Amino acid sequence: MIFVLLLLLASGPLLAQQPFTSNPTGGGMVQGTIRNAGTEDPIQDANIRIQGTTLGAVSDSEGRFSIPNVPPSTYTITASAIGYLTVDVSGVTVRAQETATCAIELKEASVQVGEVVVYGASFRRERITDAPAAVSAMEAGDIQLNSGQGQVPKLLERLPGVDIAQNGLFDFNINTRGFNSSLTRRLLVLLDGRDLAIVFLGSQEWNGLSVPVEQLGRLELVRGPGSALYGANAFNGVLNIVTPSPKQSAGTRLTLAGGELNTVRADLQHAGVSGRWGYKVNIGRSQGDTWSVPRDASQQHPFEYDGFNPFLNLEVRRLNTDPVRSTYGSARVDYDAGSGALAVVEGGLAQVENEVFITGIGRVQVTRALRPWGRASYSDDHSSVQVWASGRDSREPQYSLSTGLPLEETSLTVQGDYQYHTSAMEERLFLTTGLSYRYQTVDTRGTLMLDQHKDNLTGIYGQLEYRFSDQLKALAASRWDRSTLHESQFSPKVALVWSPEREHSFRVTYNRAFQEPAYSELFLHVLDPAQPLAYLGNDHLTVEQIRGYEFGYKGTFRNAIYATVDGYYNQLSDFITDLAPGVNPAYHGQENIGSKLRTVWSYGNAGKVNEKGFELGLNYTLSESWNIDANYSLFDFDVEEENANSPLLPNTPQYKLNGGITYKGGSGLQVGVTAKYVPSFDWSAGIFQGRVLAYTVVNLAARYALSQNITLGLDVSNLLDREHYEIFGGSLLKRRAIGTVTITL
């Protein structure tokens, strides 16, 4: 972080010395406007580049742009903006000492969903209908419309096949295709290529982000096994989050938010571009009350709903009901080296306070923790290299409410990645290769593990894609991963995509993936001082394995209806059980541990499961203003082997139904209403075992452009205020209405 700020200060004088000037050698100028093709509204912060040169510009609040000092010639101009389809304008002729003008219109990505370009399915930019995987994408426009709650997982509720289970303001489980848990790790989550997982638990801490939701550029969710490219923990899928560059977010933005649960939030961002340099800084703070309530013996009714086990679930430490807070900031510097090459240095820091999250040993409250990170990358047309680091430091102990024990974690992850890609045979053969190295260390000062651990992981992968014709392509990929935590793993993938027409494609794929044990599962060591219980890890655990077979269809009809059908059959083995007694062969019944006879709760490998299901998605653009989307997911499973002491439950409903309607008018008004129905299902994870009752949630999101510089927003989660819980042992969730004001300068 300090390095980034110093670089910003050092580059300031340089930026100030590089203004655009007229070209004394007789160059010309390109001027024009960028507008929304549907509404004719100007598009601010669109990126305009002249192909074959390093010249470009960013549109202002009126959608206007100008590029001076352009050598005389005929060019193709590329215009792009987050949330819109990229457009190439050819035949723009520039003459000496003259101005060439062009009016460019961009279509919103949601108008032609089948034309959206994705990257995460094959590490190559391709139309979503050509991607060799089940992929969903969310562009900046939809992100900003639904960002008022300030919670990234809420953005994913409408996507097919996704399980979103919420406990607190920022304690979410995100998974796809079943076998959820109180700490879900089967979905790999990346932010600009940086893994967001906490080292000890292997799950995400969603209030530890150092950028607000409004500043995210796009989300890509790839469903299904993905270890062939991404390595460990891309078990059920990959969520790839991308933030916009300074060029795409130039200007100053202030967002103020407030509402129910005494929610208050303020975010300030400034970004600028001068010549080849770009920079972006942001700072923010949010706080709000929690739905979590105390469950200690001082309460007359300690549990919010029926089904709790008083012996296991009654807490000895009283919950701190102070507001959940997050204070954060980040800075980024870009350098455009020309010819498609870009260098980026950035870093950030977040401080999180008072959130409650659910673990196998019960609820844990984070008193105060710091989340620093940094990233440096360089990319060009054929290669990219990136180094990033992410840490966590418990500045004050976090507390296990069920045991009363203080818990600490100091951890660091450092990773380097290199990737090379090229094409041959007249763009019919595409090759991608890469390697990664990760070093991580974690120390709990004896509160969660007896010893400090330092480990490293290495991955090497390659992928070949061959186009037999415009209608048929095949893809093969494989990856080898070595780790000091587990045996080496080989993860292959093959896919065949047939597109009889540009608007329709069919695919079949085979994937193999793995999930490595978390430090908490391998080395946990917690002795309950209040109960004769011991929570211990199992350092003999092996990785979980999955073999997936998929069939998919994507198609666009009349440029208005985008439909997807994805079916899958997965074979899972070597499950790592939830924390339970009698599953670790090293312990039988009660053991004398810590000078006391205790029942040992631990982890084990057990079971074989076959799971199957399908996901249907529909997006219907009624007009330039109205859009309807809906999806249905069905999940089923058969248990072939399981541990008698830890029955295998998917912790997910048999089916889910989502739907929504969105209006985007030319008057600057946008409104979206969504609904989610989840039927009842059984839950078993650690000391929480019970039934999650059926629930329906309706959400409302609205934005109105009061002027070119001021936008008002309203976001209501659980509009009908239906009390419900989404994790057994989780909090009762109620309505939360948030109003926002965004000022753009």
Side-chain angles (χ1 to χ4, degrees), residues 532-533 581-582 586-593 596-600:
L533 301 173
Y587 302 103
H588 304 281
Q590 293 183 318
E591 303 283 342
N592 193 351
I593 301 175
K596 182 185 292 188
L597 194 63
R598 301 174 184 270
T599 300
V600 176

Side-chain angles (χ1 to χ4, degrees), residues 22 44 117 238 287 317 354 374 419 528 570 632 661 696 744:
S22 60
Q44 184 178 355
V117 174
V238 178
Q287 71 175 47
R317 182 178 176 86
N354 295 330
Q419 185 182 110
D528 193 329
N570 295 329
Y632 174 83
I661 183 168
T696 300
T744 304

Side-chain angles (χ1 to χ4, degrees), residues 9-329:
L9 293 173
S11 63
L14 296 177
L15 301 182
Q17 294 171 13
Q18 297 180 0
F20 284 122
T21 58
S22 60
N23 189 344
T25 60
M29 176 176 289
V30 177
Q31 288 184 341
T33 57
I34 307 289
R35 295 188 177 276
N36 185 309
T39 66
E40 295 299 319
D41 292 334
I43 299 175
Q44 184 178 355
D45 303 330
N47 189 23
I48 302 94
R49 308 297 295 174
I50 299 179
Q51 292 188 13
T53 75
T54 60
L55 302 175
V58 176
S59 60
D60 62 17
S61 60
E62 299 293 328
R64 297 172 300 196
F65 69 91
S66 61
I67 308 174
N69 309 331
V70 182
S73 185
T74 299
Y75 299 98
T76 296
I77 295 178
T78 298
S80 62
I82 297 176
Y84 295 86
L85 301 176
T86 299
V87 168
D88 291 333
V89 179
S90 59
V92 178
T93 300
V94 179
R95 296 182 174 86
Q97 304 299 329
E98 294 184 8
T99 299
T101 60
C102 54
I104 302 175
E105 293 188 341
L106 301 183
K107 293 183 178 180
E108 293 187 37
S110 58
V111 174
Q112 295 179 328
V113 180
E115 298 296 324
V116 171
V117 174
V118 294
Y119 176 82
S122 62
F123 284 170
R124 192 169 74 82
R125 291 177 60 82
E126 57 193 341
R127 295 168 61 243
I128 195 170
T129 50
D130 294 335
V135 186
S136 300
M138 179 172 285
E139 303 292 344
D142 285 334
I143 291 174
Q144 291 173 4
L145 174 61
N146 297 280
S147 62
Q149 295 288 325
Q151 302 159 324
V152 174
K154 296 288 287 185
L155 300 174
L156 307 175
E157 282 188 313
R158 296 165 57 182
L159 302 183
V162 179
D163 296 321
I164 303 291
Q166 183 177 6
N167 167 50
L169 282 185
F170 293 96
D171 183 29
F172 289 84
N173 289 342
I174 305 178
N175 192 33
T176 64
R177 301 179 176 178
F179 287 91
N180 208 344
S181 179
S182 55
L183 291 169
T184 300
R185 301 188 295 105
R186 293 180 173 90
L187 182 73
L188 180 66
V189 180
L190 303 174
L191 176 62
D192 293 328
R194 181 170 55 89
D195 191 347
L196 294 183
I198 303 172
V199 173
F200 180 72
L201 295 174
S203 59
Q204 290 76 38
E205 190 171 27
W206 287 106
N207 60 334
L209 298 182
S210 58
V211 293
V213 178
E214 291 91 346
Q215 293 179 25
L216 303 180
R218 72 194 315 264
L219 307 177
E220 286 184 14
L221 179 65
V222 182
R223 303 188 300 280
S227 291
L229 293 179
Y230 291 95
N233 303 332
F235 194 81
N236 281 344
V238 178
L239 174 61
N240 190 30
I241 308 172
V242 180
T243 59
S245 68
K247 287 184 178 180
Q248 295 170 317
S249 53
T252 302
R253 290 177 178 82
L254 172 64
T255 299
L256 303 174
E260 291 184 311
L261 290 181
N262 295 313
T263 298
V264 178
R265 180 165 65 94
D267 296 294
L268 177 64
Q269 174 189 282
H270 175 71
V273 178
S274 181
R276 295 180 180 270
W277 291 90
Y279 67 93
K280 179 171 64 172
V281 294
N282 78 277
I283 188 170
R285 179 179 172 87
S286 69
Q287 71 175 47
D289 293 340
T290 177
W291 287 296
S292 301
V293 298
R295 294 176 183 167
D296 59 277
S298 67
Q299 309 299 305
Q300 184 176 2
H301 301 288
F303 302 122
E304 304 97 297
Y305 45 90
D306 296 333
F308 285 89
N309 182 327
F311 175 74
L312 294 175
N313 303 145
L314 193 66
E315 298 171 348
V316 300
R317 182 178 176 86
R318 184 176 177 82
L319 176 83
N320 181 355
T321 56
D322 288 347
V324 176
R325 303 185 187 92
S326 179
T327 307
Y328 47 85

Side-chain angles (χ1 to χ4, degrees), residues 326-353:
S326 179
T327 307
Y328 47 85
S330 66
R332 169 172 169 168
V333 175
D334 288 12
Y335 178 72
D336 185 348
S339 301
L342 178 68
V344 177
V345 177
E346 62 177 335
L349 176 67
Q351 177 177 277
V352 296
E353 301 174 76

